[in-house]
Each structure stands twice: as C-alpha cells, then as structure tokens.
C-alpha cells in the first residue's frame, strides 16, 4: 500500500472532489463584503432545489448536530411534549437533545435495522394530543435504514397539528427530497455527506408553519436562533462569521450536482446501493436491512461467521480502505459501507474488490470475484440508463 493512499468509504465524512478542494483554497474575502453577499445569493436557489422547497435555506456554521439542536430549541419549549422516532443512534440523539432542554419526550422505538411504520407514529400522536412536534430520521446512518418520511406528514396531520421535523444529514443531496410536497416542516442536513464537503456547515429548511411557531418562541437561544439567520439572509448576509472556505466549496459542489442533474445524482446513489447489496448477497454475507428499508447512501453488513473488526483492520492495513463499524449495541457486530457524494459505480467496484480480498485474509471463505461480478451485472443491467 502506498503511504499516502486512502480510500474513504464511510457514511461521512466523504471524499472531496478535486475541484471543490481547489475552490476552497482560494484567497479569503471579507465576510461582510459584496462578494460574500453575491455568493449567498448564488447558492440559495441551488440549495432550494436540493431540498425541494420554495423557502430559503438557512446556513449555519456548525456540524449537523448543531442543526438538529437548532431544530429543537427553535420549535419547542421546555415542558412541551414531543414524539421522537428512534430507529438507531441518530434518532436517539434527538432524544438526548430534547431532554437537555427539559422537553417531555415520547419515544417510538423501532428495532435497529428496520424502518418505522407511519401508522404506528399516527397512533402515538393520536393517543398523546399534547405532542407539538414529531422528530424523525430520514436515513438512519447507524443502521443503513431509509425511513418513509415522504409519508410521515400526511399521516400525522390526519390526527394532529404537530410539526414534522426531519434529520436528513446522511442523505439529503443524495436522495430525492421534496420538503414542500411531502409537508415536512423542518429538515436539516450537513456538508460532510452527500454534499461532498468537509464538516462545518449545517443547512436548515423551514416551512411557513414552522416559521410561525419559531417566531412566537421566546426561548430560541443565541447562536442557534433561526430568526437571526432568516432576517440576515434576507439581506444576503449572516448573523455571525460564516465559514467562507466552505461556502466557496459549497458553491462548486452545487454546480457539480446541477451539471450532473439532480435526478441523475439520485439515480447514481440508488445504483451504487444496488451494486453493493448485490455483491454481499452473492458472497452469502447477510445485510442488516431488507431491500425495502435499505438506504441509498450507506449499506450495513451483518457478518455471522467472521470478525467484523478484524476485517475492518485488515482492509485498512492492506489497502488503506476505511469502512465504518457499528454503533452502540451493534459495535463489533456490523460494518457499514458508505456510497454517497463523490462516489461512482467505478468506486463501488474497486471497493468490493478490496473487500473480497480483505474477507479472505480475515478467514472468510468466499469465491474471489463473485461479489464484483454481481455488482457488474447490476451495472450492466441498470447503469447504462443512469
């Protein structure tokens, strides 16, 4: 292995395109100058398309978790009741954030590796009419599950006026997102996943209904007060010093996505998921999720007869290939392969080839090339149309 060669296949942070890296290295500009205002004006319409909204998208300098916290503190008050749907570690993070602010949390806990059922959500809300917001995760990174958030709002709103608030950190930009059409009130994502950037910016899109709630909330905090961001965005500026290098990179990344076409971006992610899953199925290695529940951006693999951690160490030392491990009670029991952002079907084929060798060197008996061949067949059958 070459000392400086590294293949990053985790569900974030993800590889950064060379053009984005070059753009981020350009000379600094004044954050209150006209150049920055023009940059923000140029970014906004492209961001709105990715989110599927007519609303401006607030940009906060901070990690994705800062966006999740902003979504909580701006929309609900201490002692308010909320429902948090927990399908993995990041659903549980919403619980921790809410509890830190003294919010009363009802939990709908779903077996890790499965998506939630919207009818179960509806039942909890119907039985607890004081619930003011429902928090859900679009892609649950820890399990490789894609939850049916496109159905959530219409189902909940049959029985409640609760806000629908979605963590889209590990999939927005890589999967179809139609915030307005789906009736989502707040959706959050970050830069280090499908947006092909380093961590450091979080994006928050807010519906008119949610803005009304937020503007009447007197406990919005200071740095994460979304009203400050909204009022400053109307003047093409930010309330606090922005991460300008990341804004440069964001502009370039959005141009790349626009040039490819959003539908093509989403089709590419779906194709890479299908290639990855086909490979592990051909190798007779179990997957954590069903095809129906599987995320387009990350695949969770659940080995039964080899050591997941030894395998991860083997491919890291052999090739410089990094895949993610499991979290919480799945630590050491699964590994997760990211395929999002600056990643192509060619990258997936290379990754699977390295994984096959890593499996053999970890003591797993497989037929070398069988996984690659299965992925190739998926590409030949479906890739020509993407």
């Amino acid at each position: 292995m070459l000392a400086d060669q590294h293949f990053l296949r985790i569900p974030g942070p993800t590889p950064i395109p060379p053009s984005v890296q070059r753009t981020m290295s350009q000379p600094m500009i004044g954050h209150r100058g006209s150049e920055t205002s023009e940059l923000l004006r140029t970014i906004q319409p492209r961001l709105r398309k990715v989110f599927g909204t007519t609303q401006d998208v607030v940009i906060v300098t901070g990690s994705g978790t800062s966006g999740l916290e902003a979504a909580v503190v701006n929309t609900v008050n201490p002692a308010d009741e909320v429902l948090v749907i927990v399908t993995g570690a990041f659903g549980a993070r919403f619980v921790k954030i809410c509890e830190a602010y003294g919010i009363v949390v009802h939990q709908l806990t779903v077996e890790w590796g499965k998506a939630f059922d919207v009818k179960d959500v509806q039942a909890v809300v119907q039985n607890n009419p004081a619930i003011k917001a429902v928090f859900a995760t679009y892609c649950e990174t820890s399990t490789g599950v894609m939850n049916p958030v496109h159905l959530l709002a219409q189902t909940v709103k049959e029985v409640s006026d609760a806000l629908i608030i979605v963590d889209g950190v590990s999939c927005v930009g890589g999967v179809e997102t139609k915030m307005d059409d789906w009736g989502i009130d707040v959706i959050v994502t970050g830069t280090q996943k499908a947006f092909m950037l380093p961590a450091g910016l979080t994006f928050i899109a807010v519906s008119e209904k949610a803005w009304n709630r937020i503007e009447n909330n007197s406990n919005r905090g200071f740095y994460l007060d979304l009203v400050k961001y909204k009022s400053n965005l109307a003047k093409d500026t930010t309330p606090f010093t922005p991460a300008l290098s990341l804004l440069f990179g964001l502009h370039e990344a959005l141009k790349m996505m626009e040039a490819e076409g959003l539908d093509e971006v989403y089709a590419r992610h779906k194709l890479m998921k299908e290639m990855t899953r086909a490979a592990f199925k051909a190798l007779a290695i179990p997957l954590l999720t069903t095809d129906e529940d599987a995320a387009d951006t990350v695949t969770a693999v659940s080995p039964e007869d080899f050591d997941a951690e030894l395998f991860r160490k083997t491919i890291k030392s052999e090739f410089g290939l990094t895949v993610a491990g499991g979290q919480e009670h799945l630590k050491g029991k699964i590994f997760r392969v990211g395929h999002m952002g600056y990643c192509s079907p060619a990258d997936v084929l290379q990754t699977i080839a390295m994984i096959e060798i890593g499996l053999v060197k970890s003591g797993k008996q497989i037929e070398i090339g069988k996984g690659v061949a299965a992925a190739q067949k998926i590409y030949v059958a479906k890739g020509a149309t993407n």
Side-chain angles (χ1 to χ4, degrees):
M1 183 186 79
L2 296 175
D4 62 350
Q5 198 167 42
H6 187 202
F7 303 96
L8 189 63
R9 290 291 167 251
I10 63 176
T14 61
I16 301 168
S19 63
V20 172
Q21 287 189 319
R22 289 192 298 270
T23 301
M24 288 191 297
S25 68
Q26 66 184 283
M28 194 51 57
I29 60 176
H31 68 291
R32 298 300 179 210
S34 59
E35 300 99 325
T36 300
S37 292
E38 177 58 28
L39 182 61
L40 289 169
R41 277 195 296 271
T42 305
I43 285 169
Q44 271 303 316
R46 292 185 167 109
L47 268 183
R48 287 195 293 265
K49 288 178 183 177
V50 175
F51 278 80
T53 184
T54 59
Q55 301 290 324
D56 281 339
V57 180
V58 167
I59 302 173
V60 178
T61 298
S63 70
T65 301
S66 71
L68 303 183
E69 184 163 344
V72 171
V73 72
N74 280 268
T75 58
V76 287
N77 288 306
D80 281 350
E81 294 184 34
V82 302
L83 170 62
V84 178
I85 308 167
V86 179
T87 56
F90 291 91
R93 181 166 295 184
F94 258 143
V95 173
K96 293 173 184 175
I97 294 170
C98 289
E99 290 179 342
Y101 284 97
I103 295 160
V104 178
V105 178
H106 300 271
Q107 287 189 54
L108 175 61
T109 302
V110 179
E111 180 184 345
W112 285 34
K114 296 184 183 298
F116 64 74
D117 186 322
V118 291
K119 289 298 182 182
D120 293 339
V121 180
Q122 185 186 57
V124 176
V125 175
Q126 193 165 22
N127 292 330
N128 297 275
I131 286 174
K132 293 191 174 180
V134 176
F135 293 88
T137 309
Y138 193 174
C139 171
E140 176 49 68
T141 324
S142 64
T143 60
V145 163
M146 188 77 74
N147 282 304
V149 298
H150 62 294
L151 302 175
L152 185 60
Q154 67 184 57
T155 307
V156 169
K157 289 176 182 180
E158 291 174 3
V159 297
S160 171
D161 195 41
L163 296 178
I164 306 300
I165 300 173
V166 172
D167 167 3
V169 171
S170 62
C171 62
V172 172
V175 301
E176 182 178 62
T177 305
K178 294 185 175 181
M179 175 181 161
D180 291 355
D181 289 350
W182 296 346
I184 294 171
D185 294 299
V186 181
I187 188 163
V188 178
T189 195
T191 45
Q192 76 277 20
K193 308 278 188 173
F195 278 86
M196 306 180 288
L197 292 161
L201 294 179
T202 184
F203 311 127
I204 308 167
V206 182
S207 70
E208 287 291 346
K209 176 183 173 181
W211 276 124
N212 290 335
R213 176 85 63 87
I214 291 167
E215 288 163 356
N216 288 301
N217 180 0
S218 59
N219 297 295
R220 298 187 299 263
F222 181 75
Y223 184 74
L224 296 178
D225 179 356
L226 294 182
V227 172
K228 291 176 182 173
Y229 289 88
K230 181 184 181 184
S231 60
N232 276 267
L233 191 55
K235 297 178 284 188
D236 299 315
T237 188
T238 57
F240 308 106
T241 307
L244 276 167
S245 293
L246 288 173
L247 288 178
F248 295 153
L250 174 61
H251 183 226
E252 178 64 22
L254 288 167
K255 283 168 58 180
M256 288 179 63
M257 293 164 71
E258 187 175 68
E260 184 178 358
L262 286 180
D263 288 343
E264 287 73 22
V265 170
Y266 305 151
R268 170 167 52 84
H269 282 79
K270 188 175 293 293
L271 173 62
M272 292 190 294
K273 171 193 74 174
E274 293 176 357
M275 291 170 65
T276 303
R277 292 180 68 81
F280 284 105
K281 288 177 183 179
L283 295 169
I285 298 173
L287 298 165
L288 184 64
T289 68
T290 65
D291 290 345
E292 183 181 14
D293 291 348
D296 290 356
T297 51
V298 55
T299 295
V301 184
S302 184
E304 294 178 339
D305 56 358
F306 65 94
D307 186 322
E309 291 305 296
L310 173 61
F311 162 74
R312 291 177 61 229
K313 289 175 183 175
T314 300
I315 57 174
K316 181 69 180 290
S317 63
E318 193 78 23
F319 298 114
L321 171 62
T322 304
V323 299
Q327 294 179 297
E328 298 189 19
H329 67 277
L330 293 180
K331 189 175 177 124
K333 297 179 179 179
I334 69 168
F335 61 89
R336 295 170 295 143
V337 181
H339 35 78
M340 76 176 94
Y342 189 57
C343 185
S344 72
D347 294 317
V348 171
L349 292 172
Q350 180 188 47
T351 299
I352 293 167
M354 290 187 281
I355 282 173
E356 288 186 332
I357 294 172
L359 289 168
V360 171
K361 286 183 172 283
S362 301
K364 170 69 175 172
Q365 292 189 348
I366 63 165
E367 181 183 333
I368 287 283
K370 197 170 184 180
V372 173
Q376 288 173 323
K377 287 176 183 175
I378 294 291
Y379 182 79
V380 169
K382 300 184 177 183
T385 61
N386 293 305

